[in-house]
Amino acid sequence: MRAGSFSERRSSRSAAPGRLPHVSAKPPFEAIVAAHGPVVLRVCRAVLGPADADDAWSETFLAALRAYPGLPGDANVEAWLVRIAHNKAMDATRAAARRAVPVPDLPERPSADGPGQRDLDLYAALAALPRKQREAVAYHYLAGLPYAEVATITGGSAEAARKSASDGIARLRRGRLAIDQNGEPS
């Protein structure tokens, strides 16, 4: 390494394109919260509604506090915070979709639209699938998860999860009788 190479690299780094020459230090994080907090709260309320917006706002600024030291001094802080808020709101929406919805009272007897013989046949057919296919079908088609998340849960790639789900659905279709509107085999 040449003797002057460090100073040359240092000077080239300070004159990097895209950096603003007048930006020397970032404001304290408290000033960022005070300046951009209302905008982030509006984004959270728009996506989640008033009930869950405060939690998403808090999660946004906790995540931003952890990442703030690595943020370049000339970054668009408001856009950065809005993006974090959007991601936190989407996380909250996904989590809410997976939570069970409480009901006040359970019915005393099964309703007419409760699980019938067709549902029990489907459960038995699902149970007969190989484990990877059964999990891929359940997570993707019943829980609504994208294949990338199915792959994370079951292990493997998104393509493998897609193939397992496809094979499982094909097996289910081959193994079931076609049933008409009256519940009679056709």
Side-chain angles (χ1 to χ4, degrees):
M1 188 179 223
R2 295 185 341 223
S5 65
F6 177 74
S7 62
E8 289 172 9
R9 278 188 291 150
R10 189 167 182 226
S11 66
S12 68
R13 211 182 267 156
S14 63
R19 297 277 182 188
L20 299 176
H22 63 279
V23 175
S24 59
K26 294 185 286 190
F29 191 74
E30 295 80 17
I32 299 296
V33 174
H36 302 290
V39 171
V40 171
L41 186 58
R42 282 196 301 271
V43 168
C44 293
R45 282 186 180 151
V47 176
L48 295 172
D52 295 325
D54 290 338
D55 290 339
W57 184 90
S58 298
E59 290 293 324
T60 297
F61 281 103
L62 284 173
L65 178 62
R66 286 193 281 292
Y68 188 64
L71 187 68
D74 62 342
N76 183 342
V77 176
E78 185 176 49
W80 176 67
L81 287 170
V82 166
R83 181 64 181 181
I84 294 172
H86 173 77
N87 291 341
K88 293 299 177 181
M90 290 294 101
D91 290 346
T93 301
R94 288 183 196 112
R98 288 187 215 119
R99 279 194 294 270
V101 178
V103 294
D105 296 315
L106 294 175
E108 299 254 343
R109 53 194 151 110
S111 65
D113 60 343
Q117 185 60 37
R118 290 176 56 190
D119 293 332
L120 296 177
D121 291 344
L122 178 60
Y123 297 144
L126 275 170
L129 290 176
R131 182 183 61 82
K132 285 273 193 181
Q133 290 179 7
R134 180 177 57 248
E135 289 175 352
V137 167
Y139 293 145
H140 181 71
Y141 290 101
L142 300 179
L145 297 177
Y147 289 115
E149 288 184 34
V150 172
T152 302
I153 294 169
T154 61
S157 66
E159 292 78 20
R162 182 185 315 271
K163 176 71 172 145
S164 292
S166 174
D167 291 348
I169 290 294
R171 246 179 140 164
L172 288 172
R173 286 183 178 146
R174 282 192 308 266
R176 290 185 48 90
L177 290 173
I179 299 179
D180 69 9
Q181 294 290 0
N182 299 324
E184 298 295 322
S186 56

